[in-house]
Amino acid sequence: MKSFRGEDVPQPLPAQLTELADGRLLVRHAAGLALFGGVELERVEALRARIDGRSNLETLYQDLASQLEVPAVDRLLSLFEGVLWNVEPQDAGAVRARSARAKAAWAETGAAPRHESSVLVIGNGTIARRVAKALDASCLEDPNEGPWREALAGCSLLICALEDTAYTTLIEIQRRCMRASIASLFITFDADGIRLGPTTVPGQGLCVACAQVGGLHGTGAAPRDLLAAVTRFRTGRASASASEPLVRELVREAHAILALAAGGSAKGAAPQLLTSTLLLGPNGRTRYPAEPVPDCDVCSGLDPAELTTPAALSAAVQQQRLANARRAPRQATPTSSTATSNTATSKDRLGHRIGIVGGGTAGYLTALALRRKRPELDITLIESSRLPIIGVGEATTPLMPQFLHVDLGLDIAELYREVRPTLKLGIRFAWGAPEGCFNYPFGPIHVLEPAVYDGDLLRGSPQSLLMAAGAVAVEGREASPPRSHLDVDVAYHLDNQPFVHYLRRKAAERGIAWVDALVRDVELDGNGENVTALVTEDGQRLTYDLYVDCSGFRALLIEKALGSPFKSFESSLYADRALVASVPNHGVVQPYTLAETMNAGWCWSTPQRHEDHRGYVFSSAFLSPEEAEREMRSSNPEMGDARLIPFRTGRHEHFWRGNVVAMGNAYGFVEPLESTALHMLIRQIGLLLSAFPLRYSAQHGDQCVIERGLPRLLNRRVGAYWDYLRWFLALHYRFNHRLDTPFWRHCREHVDISHHAELVDAFRERGPLSYDPALLRSFEAPDPLWGAEGIDVLLMGQRVPSHLPKPRLGRTGWRQRARLFEDATRQMLPQAQALELLDREPELLHDWARAFERFGPAFP
């Protein structure tokens, strides 16, 4: 195929947005698709009307703050700062009227199609006219008019190239072609480029709706809801420079389809778009393989007996799908049998028996996610009831409640009754400067304005002010009835023991098999690359298709059995011990995790209802366990009995090796300085879920030998997550000058931050990374929680010298905005009182859970 020249690439069209059924906004723009939660479409439309080139950001902010709560204002403005500045207004009434006309025009006519070598082009622009001329075809410019019965009666291929048209019209055209057994080819002009294809063969799936909806599975919405959202988009107009290469592509594809429809062959020019679409965008041309969307509202449910599709066309689709399957890395070669060529009809070609070794949070969260997202799997969890649960407080990120209550579907009121979590708004650091603290809150934060006008970061976000006040966003003093303003930027503090007991009960309720046993031995295949069986102490021999290692620091399968090398982070993170104990809090429940600098490390505090779980993370090279306990007790005189937990920081080379996947501490561990453990676990669970259905390359007895390509890609991605985390945590040590002890002097001189050294230099020279578009484009953080804003807070909180550019808001505007934050904070309850209120008013909890539901699942 001829490549498009650079000058042929179309310019990006204006961004468009539409609303999903769950209230989230779907935005199509030059970079592709974006999804935003917590912002109402009406608010976006109102703000868009205000962007007139005269109103500045400060004026917009003041006006919006008088109508909305401050967090909503921040989220709304951040949305527009991202991709929506160029959105053009649409006439919703005109779109609805055009859609109604289209539906009326495409009413059922009962025409009986004839398969002759003829083409009908529907289009109202340059490309449609040139294609019609090249194919000597009829061209119908207005789809709402015309003699449809006569036009379609002798048609073998319909080409639709409508510009500036509602997608509703395109979908109705597609429906009619499917019912009339007419092959069709669509060209659409979208915000991310010009999309050619698919070539739809009735009865073989993959219609234009499949192509549009298939790319939106990450939203987690149902296909019908996605289709309803897509139909509210409009196609754009094609540039003249793009018409010539597209005409060549269209004509070549049309000739190939017509040859097959006539019962012949394509004479060497096989159709290219039967199972894919071609996108010509700002970054060049890209081909996207695609599969029919199950239960598609347009093309599924067709009765084959009523279709008269030429056999040659149907065979071509099947041949192209087989060719795609053969090109897949290390996948089993399909047999010649039509019935066995489809993986969906041969279950023994897919791995479905999953054995999870180890319980705890890693094992049970993995099991529950697999059961919820992949109910067809046979899941067994193997753990020994003789191994105790380590009772320690676990701090989380906002990903945890989203995962628990949306992805896993766990009832929030039930969890509060049984687990008794507390709320977390961020991390408070007794760190950096010799005096004072700084807050690292969840959610949007302004760092430049408070740094310039206030001299610190305290008023950078409402969450930060709530942290300083010891309060959470539950209004009870003057509100009648009480109101919750909890949003998606809130996390949990969890007590590990009741949390694991709760997860174990839910796993039993959801049919996850449980084996009470201790694994004594692991059998491997002849090459030592795959696990063939687990042997328990009581002599059971357990076999599965995929083994998930949740054995914690033991890394029983990934390291001890398969020998995956461990990559140490000790050149950046020196701590290797944690001394943990409980301390009474006397009813003061702080809404943050505390990270407090100590002589040879730091001490965490994760608040529970009646006590704080504290842990001193230290380096054994600088401090003995006895010295650590004396130091810890000197600042916590009511501390209970202490336990010592040794650990190593780093990760294994393999997240997935052979038929073993490592989760949680079995894969990697870093000290909980940023509440990373459960956050990273959830990310890894999401990647594992994306791998199903689990395919294998060959069968040896009852063993499943996993294909190699996907695991290698996932190993690279998970390794990048953890490596980035290593460098991010190293920044905490390199610039902390709160204490002048041998440990901290050594950290300031020797901690390795090499991978982030350029970012630190750019921060010093240009200012906060999150305010500089050039810097934002220069690097990409694997996880937004520790991206540009996080680095800014960390470096500015530790008083790393930096250039400070002029803020976006003036001093007067900033003071007004900060006063709004402070006024709102005074209306909120201290956490202990808020928790009591939430216990009495569980509907407030459900309101909060609904905020996460509107935001959507962590993973589709």
Side-chain angles (χ1 to χ4, degrees):
M1 260 183 216
K2 186 181 185 300
S3 298
F4 290 107
R5 301 188 303 273
E7 61 268 21
D8 295 327
V9 176
Q11 296 300 311
L13 298 170
Q16 298 181 58
L17 77 159
T18 185
E19 189 173 25
L20 296 175
D22 58 12
R24 289 178 293 163
L25 300 185
L26 181 67
V27 184
R28 171 175 277 168
H29 53 99
L33 292 168
L35 191 65
F36 294 91
V39 182
E40 297 177 355
L41 181 60
E42 292 79 5
R43 299 291 187 186
V44 176
E45 299 290 354
L47 181 55
R48 184 170 59 186
R50 291 290 313 279
I51 300 173
D52 54 9
R54 296 184 297 274
S55 300
N56 60 34
L57 183 59
E58 186 171 340
T59 302
L60 287 174
Y61 197 101
Q62 293 172 3
D63 289 351
L64 289 169
S66 66
Q67 309 169 38
L68 301 173
E69 296 174 1
V70 170
V73 177
D74 283 340
R75 187 171 294 108
L76 191 57
L77 289 178
S78 68
L79 173 66
F80 273 78
E81 288 174 357
V83 297
L84 290 183
W85 286 115
N86 295 323
V87 172
E88 293 183 350
Q90 298 181 34
D91 185 343
V95 172
R96 286 192 293 270
R98 183 185 291 271
S99 300
R101 291 197 304 271
K103 291 179 180 179
W106 284 91
E108 184 65 47
T109 64
R114 298 194 310 272
H115 293 292
E116 300 175 359
S117 295
S118 60
V119 180
L120 174 63
V121 178
I122 301 177
N124 52 353
T126 302
I127 290 182
R129 290 189 290 271
R130 295 195 63 180
V131 170
K133 182 177 180 181
L135 295 173
D136 193 22
S138 302
C139 184
L140 192 63
E141 292 193 6
D142 189 348
N144 301 307
E145 300 175 5
W148 288 110
R149 184 186 299 273
E150 293 80 3
L152 287 179
C155 180
S156 295
L157 174 65
L158 183 142
I159 296 175
C160 181
L162 285 167
E163 303 180 30
D164 191 24
T165 303
Y167 261 92
T168 304
T169 302
L170 273 63
I171 297 299
E172 292 302 325
I173 291 174
Q174 180 75 92
R175 288 184 198 275
R176 179 60 190 277
C177 290
M178 300 294 286
R179 289 195 295 265
S181 297
I182 296 173
S184 57
L185 175 59
F186 282 72
I187 311 96
T188 56
F189 313 96
D190 303 315
D192 55 343
I194 300 178
R195 187 170 279 100
L196 175 59
T199 298
T200 299
V201 177
Q204 300 300 319
L206 193 58
C207 64
V208 69
C210 291
Q212 293 290 327
V213 171
L216 303 176
H217 284 318
T219 64
R224 287 177 183 267
D225 292 338
L226 290 173
L227 181 59
V230 167
T231 56
R232 293 192 287 272
F233 284 135
R234 294 180 66 83
T235 61
R237 289 197 172 275
S239 62
S241 62
S243 63
E244 183 177 350
L246 275 180
V247 167
R248 291 194 295 269
E249 293 284 346
L250 285 172
V251 169
R252 191 211 60 76
E253 182 79 1
H255 281 307
I257 293 297
L258 290 172
L260 290 171
S265 68
K267 298 180 179 179
Q272 298 294 307
L273 301 174
L274 291 172
T275 58
S276 64
T277 60
L278 180 67
L279 176 67
L280 175 62
N283 296 322
R285 66 188 282 152
T286 307
R287 184 177 298 279
Y288 292 100
E291 289 293 333
V293 173
D295 301 321
C296 173
D297 197 40
V298 176
C299 65
S300 65
L302 294 174
D303 185 354
E306 298 179 359
L307 300 175
T308 55
T309 305
L313 276 176
S314 298
V317 176
Q318 291 298 325
Q319 289 171 5
Q320 194 160 103
R321 286 181 179 157
L322 286 175
N324 291 342
R326 292 189 182 101
R327 285 194 291 269
R330 299 188 62 84
Q331 187 168 320
T333 303
T335 68
S336 58
S337 167
T338 302
T340 58
S341 67
N342 186 339
T343 59
T345 63
S346 182
K347 187 176 182 181
D348 63 354
R349 296 183 68 245
L350 301 176
H352 65 281
R353 296 173 303 139
I354 313 299
I356 300 173
V357 180
T361 51
Y364 282 105
L365 288 177
T366 302
L368 287 166
L370 290 172
R371 167 61 71 233
R372 173 82 170 184
K373 301 285 188 173
R374 297 291 179 182
E376 73 278 7
L377 298 177
D378 180 1
I379 303 165
T380 302
L381 190 144
I382 306 104
E383 70 170 342
S384 173
S385 58
R386 290 179 292 164
L387 297 179
I389 300 172
I390 299 176
V392 64
E394 295 200 67
T396 69
T397 68
L399 191 62
M400 177 56 80
Q402 179 188 10
F403 180 68
L404 292 177
H405 306 309
V406 182
D407 292 81
L408 302 188
L410 300 176
D411 182 74
I412 191 169
E414 181 185 54
L415 181 131
Y416 261 73
R417 286 194 306 271
E418 297 193 24
V419 181
R420 310 290 285 171
T422 62
L423 302 176
K424 174 184 173 182
L425 307 181
I427 304 171
R428 185 168 178 82
F429 282 97
W431 211 271
E435 301 278 338
C437 301
F438 70 90
N439 294 336
Y440 185 172
F442 297 132
I445 181 171
H446 293 253
V447 295
L448 184 57
E449 288 83 359
V452 171
Y453 300 134
D454 300 343
D456 59 41
L457 303 181
L458 177 62
R459 300 197 295 179
S461 80
Q463 300 274 86
S464 177
L465 285 170
L466 285 169
M467 290 167 64
V472 294
V474 176
E475 188 177 358
R477 287 193 176 95
E478 299 178 4
S480 182
R483 290 182 293 179
S484 167
H485 303 279
L486 294 172
D487 207 339
V488 294
D489 297 321
V490 179
Y492 286 144
H493 288 121
L494 297 163
D495 188 335
N496 185 261
Q497 280 191 335
F499 186 46
V500 171
H501 286 307
Y502 171 73
L503 295 178
R504 180 181 292 162
R505 183 174 68 78
K506 301 308 292 186
E509 289 178 1
R510 296 185 179 189
I512 295 169
W514 185 71
V515 175
D516 184 0
L518 189 65
V519 176
R520 173 178 55 82
D521 193 17
V522 180
E523 296 180 0
L524 303 180
D525 64 9
N527 297 322
E529 296 180 353
N530 292 275
V531 172
T532 56
L534 306 174
V535 181
T536 68
E537 276 193 336
D538 58 1
Q540 297 182 74
R541 190 173 181 274
L542 309 174
T543 62
Y544 305 97
D545 296 329
L546 182 73
Y547 299 82
V548 183
D549 190 349
C550 295
S551 61
F553 293 140
R554 292 184 299 156
L556 180 65
L557 304 184
I558 198 69
E559 181 176 351
K560 291 185 177 178
L562 294 181
S564 178
F566 186 80
K567 302 182 68 173
S568 175
F569 293 167
E570 63 183 6
S571 66
S572 299
L573 306 173
Y574 297 153
D576 59 357
R577 301 286 187 274
L579 196 69
V580 299
S582 296
V583 180
N585 61 26
H586 304 291
V588 179
V589 184
Q590 298 293 1
Y592 52 76
T593 302
L594 175 66
E596 179 184 7
T597 304
M598 303 285 277
N599 285 341
W602 63 280
C603 192
W604 80 68
S605 177
T606 55
Q608 307 301 317
R609 298 284 181 118
H610 303 292
E611 63 185 14
D612 294 341
H613 289 183
R614 304 218 70 189
Y616 185 178
V617 178
F618 65 96
S619 168
S620 62
F622 290 84
L623 205 65
S624 69
E626 294 76 18
E627 291 170 324
E629 184 169 351
R630 284 197 297 271
E631 183 187 358
M632 191 175 176
R633 288 191 182 279
S634 67
S635 56
N636 300 277
E638 297 181 87
M639 187 177 86
D641 293 338
R643 304 191 307 280
L644 184 67
I645 302 175
F647 61 84
R648 58 179 178 173
T649 58
R651 66 171 178 88
H652 286 93
E653 184 175 317
H654 301 90
F655 163 65
W656 190 326
R657 187 168 200 177
N659 58 353
V660 171
V661 175
M663 289 289 183
N665 295 342
Y667 173 79
F669 179 81
V670 293
E671 58 201 76
L673 191 50
E674 287 283 347
S675 308
T676 53
L678 293 181
H679 184 98
M680 297 298 281
L681 170 65
I682 295 170
R683 291 288 185 213
Q684 289 172 223
I685 290 172
L687 291 175
L688 174 60
L689 287 168
S690 71
F692 290 93
L694 187 67
R695 304 179 187 278
Y696 59 87
S697 58
Q699 190 167 359
H700 303 286
D702 61 353
Q703 179 197 349
C704 185
V705 180
I706 309 299
E707 59 184 351
R708 296 178 182 269
L710 179 61
R712 287 173 177 168
L713 293 172
L714 293 180
N715 286 338
R716 187 182 310 160
R717 186 169 184 186
V718 175
Y721 278 175
W722 282 80
D723 291 344
Y724 180 90
L725 186 56
R726 167 204 185 157
W727 305 115
F728 182 71
L729 294 182
L731 297 177
H732 295 66
Y733 283 98
R734 188 61 178 267
F735 300 107
N736 185 5
H737 51 278
R738 191 178 189 88
L739 296 178
D740 190 31
T741 63
F743 173 80
W744 286 108
R745 286 196 297 269
H746 189 82
C747 288
R748 290 191 289 269
E749 294 172 6
H750 299 293
V751 162
D752 181 11
I753 62 166
S754 55
H755 195 271
H756 275 6
E758 294 86 357
L759 289 176
V760 174
D761 290 341
F763 172 84
R764 292 181 187 273
E765 295 163 357
R766 298 174 65 95
L769 309 182
S770 58
Y771 282 70
D772 190 322
L775 290 176
L776 286 173
R777 289 191 293 267
S778 68
F779 84 104
E780 182 177 356
D783 197 295
L785 191 64
W786 305 300
E789 279 189 354
I791 293 175
D792 286 342
V793 172
L794 189 59
L795 296 181
M796 297 179 81
Q798 295 182 93
R799 306 299 177 98
V800 176
S802 170
H803 165 71
L804 294 178
K806 182 180 179 181
R808 295 171 181 168
L809 285 178
R811 187 179 298 272
T812 300
W814 171 252
R815 288 175 176 170
Q816 292 175 344
R817 179 180 180 278
R819 279 197 295 271
L820 288 171
F821 287 175
E822 292 167 334
D823 291 343
T825 299
R826 283 190 284 270
Q827 304 304 315
M828 304 304 161
L829 291 173
Q831 167 145 222
Q833 296 180 34
L835 292 174
E836 293 175 359
L837 178 60
L838 294 174
D839 289 340
R840 296 194 306 270
E841 304 281 349
E843 186 55 32
L844 296 177
L845 286 171
H846 288 292
D847 287 342
W848 182 34
R850 282 190 281 271
F852 280 102
E853 291 169 1
R854 290 191 296 270
F855 196 70
F859 311 106

